[in-house]
Amino acid sequence: MGTASAATNPRGVSGNPKRIGTFYTNTQWVPRTVRAGSTIYIRTWYMERSKDTLVAQDFGLDLWNRATPIRGISVSWLNPLTHRWQASTDTDHHGYFALGLQKEPTLLAVAPGRWAHIDVRITFSKSAYKGTWHIMPEPASGYGLRNSAGTFDWAFLDSASSSGWPQYTTNVRP
Protein backbone atom coordinates (compact mmCIF):
# COMPACT_ATOMS: atom_id res chain seq x y z
CA MET A 1 0.00 0.00 0.00
CA GLY A 2 1.40 3.35 -0.97
CA THR A 3 -0.11 6.74 -0.85
CA ALA A 4 -3.80 7.49 -0.81
CA SER A 5 -5.38 7.31 -4.24
CA ALA A 6 -5.76 10.51 -6.20
CA ALA A 7 -9.10 11.72 -7.51
CA THR A 8 -10.26 10.37 -10.83
CA ASN A 9 -8.86 12.00 -13.94
CA PRO A 10 -10.88 15.12 -14.79
CA ARG A 11 -12.13 15.27 -18.38
CA GLY A 12 -9.73 16.84 -20.82
CA VAL A 13 -6.65 16.22 -18.69
CA SER A 14 -4.11 13.75 -20.01
CA GLY A 15 -0.83 12.39 -18.74
CA ASN A 16 0.21 11.34 -15.28
CA PRO A 17 -0.89 13.12 -12.13
CA LYS A 18 1.72 15.30 -10.45
CA ARG A 19 2.98 14.91 -6.88
CA ILE A 20 2.23 18.11 -5.01
CA GLY A 21 2.72 17.32 -1.33
CA THR A 22 2.92 14.84 1.53
CA PHE A 23 0.25 12.92 3.45
CA TYR A 24 0.71 12.25 7.20
CA THR A 25 -1.18 9.89 9.50
CA ASN A 26 -1.13 8.72 13.12
CA THR A 27 -3.40 6.38 15.10
CA GLN A 28 -4.29 6.39 18.80
CA TRP A 29 -5.76 3.91 21.24
CA VAL A 30 -4.80 0.56 19.65
CA PRO A 31 -4.61 -1.77 22.67
CA ARG A 32 -1.90 -4.42 22.97
CA THR A 33 -4.48 -7.06 23.89
CA VAL A 34 -8.23 -7.39 23.68
CA ARG A 35 -10.64 -10.10 24.81
CA ALA A 36 -12.76 -11.86 22.22
CA GLY A 37 -16.29 -10.52 22.51
CA SER A 38 -15.23 -6.92 23.07
CA THR A 39 -15.06 -3.70 21.08
CA ILE A 40 -12.17 -1.30 20.70
CA TYR A 41 -12.26 2.31 19.58
CA ILE A 42 -9.40 3.83 17.64
CA ARG A 43 -8.84 7.33 16.29
CA THR A 44 -6.79 7.91 13.17
CA TRP A 45 -5.46 11.38 12.43
CA TYR A 46 -4.53 12.60 8.96
CA MET A 47 -3.08 15.76 7.45
CA GLU A 48 -1.49 16.86 4.20
CA ARG A 49 0.98 19.53 3.30
CA SER A 50 0.49 20.97 -0.17
CA LYS A 51 -0.96 24.08 -1.76
CA ASP A 52 -4.35 22.36 -2.19
CA THR A 53 -7.23 21.41 0.07
CA LEU A 54 -7.75 17.69 0.70
CA VAL A 55 -11.30 16.45 0.03
CA ALA A 56 -11.73 13.05 1.73
CA GLN A 57 -13.99 10.62 -0.13
CA ASP A 58 -13.19 7.22 1.43
CA PHE A 59 -11.72 5.86 4.64
CA GLY A 60 -10.33 2.34 4.85
CA LEU A 61 -9.19 -0.18 7.42
CA ASP A 62 -7.35 -3.44 6.77
CA LEU A 63 -7.47 -6.17 9.42
CA TRP A 64 -5.68 -9.47 9.03
CA ASN A 65 -4.10 -12.37 10.83
CA ARG A 66 -2.93 -15.84 9.75
CA ALA A 67 -6.45 -17.05 8.90
CA THR A 68 -8.62 -16.26 5.91
CA PRO A 69 -11.46 -15.61 5.40
CA ILE A 70 -11.96 -13.13 8.20
CA ARG A 71 -14.75 -14.04 10.59
CA GLY A 72 -16.27 -12.56 13.71
CA ILE A 73 -15.17 -8.97 13.01
CA SER A 74 -17.34 -5.93 12.46
CA VAL A 75 -16.24 -2.37 11.84
CA SER A 76 -18.26 0.82 12.13
CA TRP A 77 -17.28 4.43 11.66
CA LEU A 78 -18.18 7.72 13.27
CA ASN A 79 -19.15 9.51 10.07
CA PRO A 80 -17.34 12.87 10.21
CA LEU A 81 -20.17 14.57 8.30
CA THR A 82 -23.22 13.19 10.12
CA HIS A 83 -21.51 12.57 13.49
CA ARG A 84 -23.34 9.23 13.74
CA TRP A 85 -21.98 5.70 13.90
CA GLN A 86 -22.57 3.73 10.74
CA ALA A 87 -21.59 0.34 9.37
CA SER A 88 -18.90 0.01 6.73
CA THR A 89 -20.14 0.82 3.24
CA ASP A 90 -17.74 -1.75 1.77
CA THR A 91 -16.29 -4.96 3.21
CA ASP A 92 -14.62 -8.09 1.92
CA HIS A 93 -13.78 -11.47 3.43
CA HIS A 94 -10.04 -10.69 3.35
CA GLY A 95 -10.44 -8.03 6.05
CA TYR A 96 -10.90 -4.76 4.21
CA PHE A 97 -13.53 -2.37 5.58
CA ALA A 98 -14.36 1.07 4.19
CA LEU A 99 -16.54 4.10 4.70
CA GLY A 100 -17.38 5.89 1.45
CA LEU A 101 -18.50 9.50 1.54
CA GLN A 102 -19.03 10.06 -2.20
CA LYS A 103 -22.81 10.04 -1.83
CA GLU A 104 -22.86 12.51 1.06
CA PRO A 105 -24.42 15.90 0.20
CA THR A 106 -21.44 17.75 1.73
CA LEU A 107 -17.75 17.30 1.00
CA LEU A 108 -15.27 16.75 3.81
CA ALA A 109 -12.61 19.35 3.01
CA VAL A 110 -9.48 19.71 5.15
CA ALA A 111 -7.20 22.73 4.66
CA PRO A 112 -3.49 22.05 4.14
CA GLY A 113 -1.54 21.74 7.39
CA ARG A 114 -4.71 21.03 9.45
CA TRP A 115 -5.17 17.71 11.24
CA ALA A 116 -8.50 15.86 10.96
CA HIS A 117 -9.50 12.46 12.31
CA ILE A 118 -11.82 9.50 11.84
CA ASP A 119 -13.05 7.34 14.73
CA VAL A 120 -13.42 3.62 14.15
CA ARG A 121 -15.13 0.95 16.25
CA ILE A 122 -13.85 -2.63 15.81
CA THR A 123 -15.71 -5.53 17.41
CA PHE A 124 -13.93 -8.85 17.86
CA SER A 125 -16.76 -11.29 18.51
CA LYS A 126 -16.33 -14.57 20.43
CA SER A 127 -15.91 -16.33 17.04
CA ALA A 128 -13.04 -14.08 15.90
CA TYR A 129 -9.73 -15.86 15.45
CA LYS A 130 -7.53 -15.64 18.52
CA GLY A 131 -3.95 -14.40 18.34
CA THR A 132 -2.21 -11.46 16.70
CA TRP A 133 -4.24 -9.17 14.48
CA HIS A 134 -2.70 -6.52 12.24
CA ILE A 135 -4.58 -3.24 11.94
CA MET A 136 -3.80 -0.83 9.13
CA PRO A 137 -5.93 2.34 9.12
CA GLU A 138 -6.14 4.14 5.78
CA PRO A 139 -7.61 7.57 6.52
CA ALA A 140 -8.69 9.45 3.41
CA SER A 141 -7.75 6.42 1.30
CA GLY A 142 -9.70 8.01 -1.51
CA TYR A 143 -9.39 11.74 -1.91
CA GLY A 144 -9.33 14.67 -4.27
CA LEU A 145 -7.17 17.78 -4.13
CA ARG A 146 -8.98 21.06 -4.72
CA ASN A 147 -6.92 24.09 -5.72
CA SER A 148 -7.49 27.72 -4.73
CA ALA A 149 -9.75 28.22 -7.78
CA GLY A 150 -12.07 25.51 -6.43
CA THR A 151 -11.34 22.94 -9.14
CA PHE A 152 -9.77 19.55 -8.62
CA ASP A 153 -6.09 19.05 -9.48
CA TRP A 154 -4.91 15.93 -11.30
CA ALA A 155 -2.40 15.36 -8.51
CA PHE A 156 -1.43 13.07 -5.64
CA LEU A 157 0.35 13.13 -2.28
CA ASP A 158 3.38 11.12 -1.18
CA SER A 159 3.12 9.20 2.06
CA ALA A 160 5.27 10.51 4.90
CA SER A 161 5.81 6.87 5.92
CA SER A 162 8.31 4.98 3.75
CA SER A 163 6.21 1.82 4.13
CA GLY A 164 2.91 3.44 3.12
CA TRP A 165 0.19 3.13 5.76
CA PRO A 166 1.42 2.55 9.34
CA GLN A 167 0.49 -0.82 10.85
CA TYR A 168 -0.43 -1.72 14.41
CA THR A 169 -1.03 -5.04 16.17
CA THR A 170 -3.33 -6.27 18.90
CA ASN A 171 -3.59 -9.71 20.44
CA VAL A 172 -7.11 -11.18 20.65
CA ARG A 173 -7.36 -13.64 23.51
CA PRO A 174 -10.19 -15.84 24.78
Side-chain angles (χ1 to χ4, degrees):
M1 300 272 165
T3 60
S5 60
T8 57
N9 187 356
R11 290 186 180 170
V13 176
S14 62
N16 294 323
K18 63 186 181 276
R19 179 181 54 82
I20 65 166
T22 305
F23 187 83
Y24 300 87
T25 183
N26 188 21
T27 298
Q28 297 175 291
W29 310 329
V30 178
R32 291 185 193 272
T33 61
V34 62
R35 287 195 177 276
S38 56
T39 299
I40 64 171
Y41 296 83
I42 65 173
R43 175 170 284 170
T44 298
W45 292 88
Y46 61 98
M47 189 247 317
E48 61 90 11
R49 292 200 187 276
S50 77
K51 60 182 175 42
D52 286 357
T53 296
L54 177 98
V55 179
Q57 298 167 333
D58 292 292
F59 295 89
L61 182 77
D62 277 312
L63 290 168
W64 73 93
N65 71 359
R66 68 188 192 309
T68 306
I70 300 297
R71 72 168 194 224
I73 304 291
S74 64
V75 174
S76 56
W77 308 78
L78 187 58
N79 184 314
L81 298 174
T82 65
H83 305 287
R84 294 188 174 150
W85 287 100
Q86 73 176 74
S88 296
T89 56
D90 185 30
T91 62
D92 71 26
H93 67 280
H94 295 292
Y96 182 73
F97 301 85
L99 173 66
L101 299 179
Q102 298 92 343
K103 295 183 175 133
E104 296 285 346
T106 310
L107 295 175
L108 181 61
V110 181
R114 301 289 303 238
W115 285 96
H117 69 273
I118 184 81
D119 291 334
V120 184
R121 190 167 57 185
I122 306 168
T123 299
F124 296 93
S125 75
K126 296 276 186 188
S127 67
Y129 292 110
K130 309 313 180 268
T132 301
W133 279 86
H134 302 271
I135 302 171
M136 188 169 64
E138 300 174 9
S141 58
Y143 64 84
L145 294 165
R146 192 169 53 209
N147 61 30
S148 59
T151 60
F152 283 94
D153 273 341
W154 180 228
F156 69 94
L157 303 166
D158 272 341
S159 174
S161 170
S162 61
S163 61
W165 301 109
Q167 298 176 31
Y168 306 87
T169 58
T170 193
N171 186 38
V172 176
R173 57 188 179 150

